[in-house]
Amino acid sequence: MGWLSRFLAAIAFFAIGVLFSPETFGSKSVTHLSAYLKLAHLLCFSTAFGSALWVTFIGGIIMFKNLPRHQFGNLQSKMFPAYFLLVGVCCAISVAAFGYLHPWKSASTAEKYQLGFLLSSFAFNLTNLFVFTPMTIEMMKQRHKVEREENIGTEVGWSKNREVAKANPKLAAMNKKFGMIHGLSSLANIMSFGSLAMHSWYLAGKINL
């Protein structure tokens, strides 16, 4: 099944769910809007949280441990801009929906904190998308060029890079710079995930089972 077929199937199930939901029958338009905003917030938040969880703690680690290093880096350079864009857009929609449902003037202290967490996650993702990720990709390409000259990069893991860097000051300097930029990007990603995790705790407290 192609991606278009999957997308259309998901839209069809979503439409059926909305059509047969209790809010669809005998409710006012304001209630309709509130329900749609809550749905948008929940779907976008869960997409952002799930994507961050997978990329940060599962997918990236599995790929690093199993792919040749240059292949892994090239894949990450394509994946991370899309990942940060997806999470950023989802956070923006969540912020807009949550802000509309809980206006600042009438919001409780807890709701204001939650809006702050969502805004923080959005800001961290924008920083990664427009600042750290382009810098990391450019630094990676430069280092790959030096590594190819040293006939390394097709192995899995860092062992050969570290060995060659001991005798190659240029590569050692690149490793240091790349590590610094990548570290800042990882920190921003973790802070974004942490902000989403704080909001997940708030949402859990709102569920009545």
Side-chain angles (χ1 to χ4, degrees), residues 2-101:
W3 71 268
L4 181 58
S5 299
R6 297 175 187 175
F7 177 75
L8 292 176
I11 292 296
F13 279 108
F14 172 75
I16 292 171
V18 171
L19 181 63
F20 290 98
S21 66
E23 289 79 5
T24 303
F25 302 99
S27 59
K28 298 179 180 179
S29 59
V30 175
T31 306
H32 268 302
L33 179 60
S34 176
Y36 292 147
L37 288 174
K38 289 177 181 178
L39 178 62
H41 174 67
L42 183 61
L43 289 179
C44 289
F45 166 78
S46 59
T47 299
F49 185 80
S51 299
L53 178 66
W54 173 261
V55 170
T56 305
F57 299 106
I58 303 173
I61 295 174
I62 292 174
M63 286 187 288
F64 178 75
K65 290 185 175 181
N66 292 276
L67 289 177
R69 194 157 46 76
H70 283 187
Q71 185 178 345
F72 167 75
N74 290 330
L75 177 60
Q76 294 287 76
S77 71
K78 303 298 183 182
M79 186 180 73
F80 270 104
Y83 160 64
F84 290 126
L85 178 61
L86 171 66
V87 177
V89 169
C90 286
C91 286
I93 295 174
S94 290
V95 166
F98 193 85
Y100 184 90
L101 292 168

Side-chain angles (χ1 to χ4, degrees), residues 22-195:
E23 289 79 5
T24 303
F25 302 99
S27 59
K28 298 179 180 179
S29 59
V30 175
T31 306
H32 268 302
L33 179 60
S34 176
Y36 292 147
L37 288 174
K38 289 177 181 178
L39 178 62
H41 174 67
L42 183 61
L43 289 179
C44 289
F45 166 78
S46 59
T47 299
F49 185 80
S51 299
L53 178 66
W54 173 261
V55 170
T56 305
F57 299 106
I58 303 173
I61 295 174
I62 292 174
M63 286 187 288
F64 178 75
K65 290 185 175 181
N66 292 276
L67 289 177
R69 194 157 46 76
H70 283 187
Q71 185 178 345
F72 167 75
N74 290 330
L75 177 60
Q76 294 287 76
S77 71
K78 303 298 183 182
M79 186 180 73
F80 270 104
Y83 160 64
F84 290 126
L85 178 61
L86 171 66
V87 177
V89 169
C90 286
C91 286
I93 295 174
S94 290
V95 166
F98 193 85
Y100 184 90
L101 292 168
H102 304 282
W104 187 262
K105 290 184 179 180
S106 60
S108 66
T109 301
E111 291 165 349
K112 291 178 179 179
Y113 273 118
Q114 294 307 314
L115 186 59
F117 287 134
L118 292 172
L119 283 169
S120 295
S121 182
F122 176 63
F124 284 126
N125 272 282
L126 283 187
T127 303
N128 252 326
L129 180 63
F130 294 112
V131 181
F132 295 137
T133 295
M135 293 172 64
T136 302
I137 293 174
E138 181 60 29
M139 192 68 235
M140 180 202 72
K141 290 179 178 179
Q142 294 178 17
R143 190 173 65 166
H144 280 189
K145 182 178 179 181
V146 174
E147 287 179 329
R148 282 193 294 269
E149 294 173 355
E150 297 286 350
N151 295 316
I152 62 173
T154 56
E155 73 285 349
V156 177
W158 288 103
S159 57
K160 289 188 177 180
N161 172 280
R162 290 170 179 168
E163 292 175 6
V164 174
K166 293 177 181 178
N168 189 326
K170 184 177 180 180
L171 181 59
M174 284 185 168
N175 285 346
K176 184 177 181 180
K177 186 176 180 179
F178 178 84
M180 180 185 68
I181 299 171
H182 187 267
L184 291 173
S185 177
S186 297
L187 177 62
N189 186 51
I190 289 293
M191 294 298 289
S192 172
F193 178 79
S195 297

